[in-house]
Each structure stands twice: as C-alpha cells, then as structure tokens.
Amino acid sequence: MARPPRKALRATAAGALSASLIAGGVLGAAPAAQAATSDVRYVDIAGDGGTVLKANVVTPAGADGTRRYPLVVLPTSWGFPQVQYLAQAKKLAESGYVVLSYNVRGFWQSGGEIDVAGPHDVADASKVVDWALAHTPADPRHIGMAGVSYGAGISLLAAAHDPRVRAVAALSGWGDLIDSIYSGRTQHLQAAAVLDTAGTVTGRQSAESRAVFSAFYSSDLSKEQDILAWGKKRSPMTYADQLNRNGAAVMLAGGWGDTIFPPNQSAALYEKLTGPKRLELRPGDHGTAELTGLFGLPNDVWTDTRRWLDRYLKGTANGIDTEQPVQLKSRSTHAYEGYPDWKSVNADRRKIALPGTTTIHTNVDSGADGGIVFLSSILDQIARLPPVASIPLLPRAWAAVWRSEKYATAQQVRGTATLHTTVTPTKESGTLVAYLYDVGPLGLGKLVSHAPYTFHGRTPGKPFGVGLELYSTAYDVPAGHRLALVVDTVDPLYIEHNPSGARLTFSSPPNDPSYVSVPLREQ
C-alpha cells in the first residue's frame, strides 16, 4: 500500500496548524471578552480515574438555590479551549439553564491524554453530570448535552451510556467514525492531518491514538482490523440500540461539504434512531455553519439547538417537534426544505447510463478533484463557488468521462447519488475517485459530489462490480446544463493505492449495465 507523499502531509499539516491556531485563538478570545460581564465560575472537576477537567459554569441570574434548572453540558471541540461556548452558554443561562462547559481530557489545561471519544471520555461526561448535580442548582430530571464536532460525538456517546441525558444536539458530529475518515476503504488524508495536527499542537496524544494515526498513514493492512475495531468503539452508530432504549431526543446537524465528517454517516445514524429526532443539513464544511453562533451572533443552527433543548428539557411547546424532522438547505438557493424522513429525500431517482469500455492510467491527477479541506466548501457556502474543472479538457488517458443529455428543466439533486460499474484492474490493489459535475454550455463543470473507493486483493485481469455512494448533497442543476460523471485515480484529499503503471478498465456488461443513479427532488 502506498504511503502519503511527505510534501503533501507537510503542506496539509501546516494548513491545519494555521487553521487550528487562528480558530482557537479567535474563538477563545471573543467569548472570553464577554466573561467579565457574565456570571461565569471556573472550576476543576475530577473526571474518570481522577483526571482533572477544566470547566466553567454559567447559572441563571438570580439563582439562589431555592429552585432547580435544566442542565446543559457542553464538551469542547477537538483542540478548542474551555471558553469555546461561553457566548452560547450565556444565552442559555439567560433563558433558564445551568450550563457547564468542560475541556475534554488531553487538551489544553485539562489533564490526561487524548482518548478520541473513547471509554474515558464517555465516563468523563457522566462524572461531569455528577459534579453538576452536586454543586449547581441543576435538575436531575432535565439533563441535556450539546457540542460541535468532538463535543457532538462525545454527547451522543454519553447519551447512549448514561440514561440521565434526555436531549442531545450534535452539531457537525459523526455517526460512524470509520465511515467518516476511511469511507470507501480509503484514508481521508487531509481530514486526518487536520485532526492529528490540531491534537499535537493543543493536546497530548495517548500511545494508542498515536499508534492508530501512524497505522492509518502508513497504510498497514495488517493493522486494518485493529483500526476498524478502534473506530467502532468510538462510533455512536455502534450504540444506536442503546440510544433508542435510553430515549434521548437527538438533533443532528451538519454541512453538505463537511470534509471531516461527511453527511452520509450522520444520515445513516438518523435513520437508525427511533425516538424524537431531527436532521439538519446546510451548505458549508466542518463546523462552519455553527461558527458565527460561537461569537453570539444570530445563527440558525444554534437557534434550533435552543429550540430543541427547550422542547425536550423544558417541555416548551415551540413547534419544533411538529415540523418536518428532516430540514435541508440547498447549496444553490439557500432555501430550506422539509422532508418526513431521509428515505423521502432519495425517493425519486434517475439513472444516467455509462456505456462502452474505457481504460485509464493511474498515478496522475487528471485535474478533477474534491478541492481543499475547509477552503473549498467554505467558498461554496459563502459564494456558491464549488471546485471546478473543464470537462472537455480533462485528459482521457487519466480520466473516464460520461455525460447526460442536456436537461430542458432544472434538476434538483437531493440526497445520495450512487455509482454502479464494472472494473477490471491490472494490479491487485487500486483507488478510484468518482466525481459528479454540473456542466454548463462552455464545458465548465462545477462539483456536485464525489467519493473515493479503494480495493485490495483483486485478481489482475478479472472484472468485479463496484457500488459506491457519493457524498450526499442538495444542488440545483440549471436548465440547459448536463451532469457528467468523471472517474480518475488521484485526489489530494485521499491516500491512493495504485501501483506504478496500473490501469483500470470500466465496462458495462449487457447483463449488468453501468450507471450512476441520481436522486432528484419531486417537481
């Protein structure tokens, strides 16, 4: 298996380091400035095994111990200090909550080593709840958890293990950790480098997490099952039955372009839940949809988080439970759409045939790619500028290209496109990346979605079937445009596993024709 290029790792790590320092510094400074005018108490809490967790508590004005208030616990994001949520904590406290935010173990001034949402982190969350019930006017019957990214994952895992948690708002979190950074059996290089670098700069990695990252980068197949088991233990999807038994009301929110935790696996978790639930997906990358709310500015995600907590911790009849539970915001119109469930989003599908036989060479980036972690999806979120490629100019020696007919009316892509094809390799291992583009009259393609796929242990010269889900999205293809499917073998976002000189042949046998199935919103 191929190792990632050292230069690519250095460049990605440098970018991640810069982003981490800027975000941590800015977000840490902005709420801290408000702390002087807020009733904030900084405390030490003994977590699992006595590990000291640095925390802050915000209580409602006038709390005098004569009454109890709903409790909201906010674990910090990966690499962020404990002041991350102070702006939102103040808003929650003003509306009648006791709010406790704590720095997760291994980061900043909290003790211990990074557990990557493992058993120690789950036990810490329960210890924090214990402390809050003993030292604040928190109501043991009304306990909720919320958080962004790492805090979202820990909140979901805690709710699965601690039945006292009655409501969760998981923002930019994950349902399946492995499907997030190892989907299609392909290492998400830039995503892992962001997490690894931020963890190295702001925290203390455990020997276990260091070994997992090393095995991940080195593409050591002998360690693959160990990595899968490690990720399964840290995935809320593993504990979906426990979440359902405990009955916590779960709100999941994320971004269409999340390069750390793509939306597919959150949607899959949502479908597994049987209690009160809500799924919100918006334009943006990892944590960017929630970002302005961390400064206390108006923000849809945090507004709905407070509505969710109000409904299921306070019993407020605010209507959030009567709305369509799946709320999607289109990347093209920025308008919200409601659906009764995730399956309804994907209900109407249209197949684009991928006829003929096409052979491509590997090891060269054709010019089609998924963009740059964070930057590309943020540009799409703010300016509606996704990654682009000139489809007619893509070199056919390294890129297979198929196009639909020109559409007479606008096509509203909603949900998860799937690729079905037959591949014949010349080597036993390989990687391919599929891209779906919106192609205008001049041939310029705007990226609608993509996904990687890696195989090992195949017999050279023997064809096999590939079924690949692209990342879910909501994108409008204008009238007069086409959709194009492009497949190549190299993308800077991922580690590729193509031996030197390998070729891939794509075919469409009569008894098993190749196609891409595109989900469309009912007109």
Side-chain angles (χ1 to χ4, degrees):
M1 299 172 72
R3 290 176 178 266
R6 292 183 178 274
K7 288 184 179 179
L9 269 176
R10 288 196 193 103
T12 304
L17 174 60
S18 300
S20 174
L21 292 176
I22 292 170
V26 173
L27 292 176
Q34 299 185 24
T37 59
S38 302
D39 182 17
V40 181
R41 183 159 55 108
Y42 292 90
V43 299
D44 290 350
I45 298 175
D48 187 41
T51 296
V52 174
L53 305 175
K54 295 293 184 177
N56 57 68
V57 182
V58 187
T59 53
D64 56 7
T66 60
R67 59 167 291 194
R68 295 281 178 175
Y69 300 89
L71 169 67
V72 177
V73 175
L74 303 168
T76 53
S77 301
W78 182 275
F80 281 74
Q82 60 169 307
V83 294
Q84 175 187 10
Y85 299 115
L86 275 182
Q88 287 300 323
K90 181 179 179 181
K91 289 177 180 289
L92 286 165
E94 288 172 351
S95 64
Y97 290 94
V98 171
V99 187
L100 192 157
S101 176
Y102 71 98
N103 226 127
V104 292
R105 68 169 50 226
F107 285 100
W108 293 88
Q109 294 177 318
S110 283
E113 296 176 325
I114 299 169
D115 194 35
V116 197
H120 294 302
D121 281 315
V122 174
D124 284 344
S126 290
K127 292 287 188 181
V128 168
V129 170
D130 292 341
W131 187 95
L133 295 178
H135 296 89
T136 74
D139 188 338
R141 301 166 301 169
H142 303 288
I143 298 171
M145 293 188 68
V148 176
S149 184
Y150 197 41
I154 290 175
S155 294
L156 287 168
L157 291 163
H161 289 84
D162 191 334
R164 295 176 298 178
V165 179
R166 307 308 303 152
V168 173
L171 317 180
S172 288
W174 70 91
D176 187 322
L177 186 58
I178 293 299
D179 197 40
S180 296
I181 62 173
Y182 193 53
S183 69
R185 211 178 175 186
T186 307
Q187 297 100 318
H188 295 206
L189 173 62
Q190 291 188 15
V194 167
L195 298 175
D196 190 13
T197 306
T200 300
V201 171
T202 64
R204 298 167 299 283
Q205 290 191 6
S206 66
E208 181 187 35
S209 62
R210 183 66 266 158
V212 168
F213 275 113
S214 296
F216 185 88
Y217 290 137
S218 68
S219 305
D220 186 350
L221 273 181
S222 70
K223 300 292 181 61
E224 185 178 38
Q225 290 306 311
D226 293 338
I227 294 174
L228 295 178
W230 176 88
K232 184 177 181 181
K233 185 186 296 186
R234 291 160 169 79
S235 297
M237 180 72 81
T238 303
Y239 311 101
D241 289 344
Q242 291 176 218
L243 268 170
N244 291 333
R245 282 196 300 271
N246 289 346
V250 176
M251 171 181 151
L252 306 172
W256 291 122
D258 195 322
T259 43
I260 309 294
F261 304 130
N264 302 45
Q265 42 82 40
S266 290
L269 174 62
Y270 173 84
E271 285 291 274
K272 288 280 188 181
L273 300 177
T274 58
K277 59 182 181 178
R278 183 178 177 92
L279 174 66
E280 300 184 354
L281 294 170
R282 299 174 172 85
D285 206 307
H286 185 65
T288 62
E290 304 92 341
L291 186 62
T292 56
L294 294 177
F295 294 94
L297 300 174
N299 180 279
D300 288 356
V301 188
W302 285 103
T303 295
D304 284 350
T305 294
R306 290 194 296 274
R307 293 175 66 216
W308 189 254
L309 297 174
D310 285 349
R311 176 66 187 88
Y312 291 103
L313 296 184
K314 290 183 177 180
T316 305
N318 55 20
I320 195 167
D321 55 327
T322 63
E323 298 170 359
Q324 296 274 42
V326 176
Q327 293 288 320
L328 310 182
K329 192 174 186 181
S330 168
R331 291 166 51 199
S332 302
T333 66
H334 284 199
Y336 284 100
E337 303 163 1
Y339 298 83
D341 51 39
W342 181 248
K343 292 178 182 177
S344 299
V345 179
N346 293 274
D348 189 16
R349 308 187 73 90
R350 179 175 299 179
K351 290 183 179 179
I352 300 172
L354 310 177
T357 299
T358 303
T359 298
I360 61 173
H361 296 264
T362 63
N363 310 121
V364 173
D365 187 344
S366 70
D369 64 56
I372 301 172
V373 65
F374 288 125
L375 177 61
S376 297
S377 292
I378 291 173
L379 283 174
D380 187 36
Q381 176 185 359
I382 296 173
R384 301 181 194 175
L385 293 175
V388 298
S390 176
I391 304 305
L393 296 181
L394 291 176
R396 294 326 194 244
W398 293 287
V401 180
W402 298 267
R403 298 191 305 172
S404 73
E405 297 298 321
K406 189 178 297 184
Y407 294 114
T409 59
Q411 305 293 297
Q412 297 179 311
V413 180
R414 299 290 185 274
T416 311
T418 58
L419 168 64
H420 177 81
T421 190
T422 296
V423 176
T424 304
T426 59
K427 305 289 184 178
E428 66 172 15
S429 295
T431 296
L432 61 90
V433 187
Y435 308 89
L436 189 65
Y437 282 100
D438 159 27
V439 185
L442 299 180
L444 187 66
K446 295 182 178 180
L447 188 64
V448 177
S449 184
H450 80 286
Y453 179 90
T454 293
F455 60 88
H456 298 288
R458 293 291 177 177
T459 302
K462 184 176 180 179
F464 64 93
V466 170
L468 175 62
E469 287 192 347
L470 276 60
Y471 300 139
S472 304
T473 194
Y475 181 96
D476 293 357
V477 180
H481 286 212
R482 308 171 189 263
L483 282 171
L485 182 80
V486 176
V487 180
D488 72 2
T489 64
V490 176
D491 190 305
L493 289 172
Y494 309 108
I495 295 178
E496 52 101 359
H497 301 265
N498 298 295
S500 179
R503 298 184 305 279
L504 301 178
T505 296
F506 301 91
S507 58
S508 183
N511 62 339
D512 188 19
S514 295
Y515 60 85
V516 59
S517 176
V518 181
L520 299 175
R521 187 184 183 194
E522 293 184 2
Q523 300 298 309

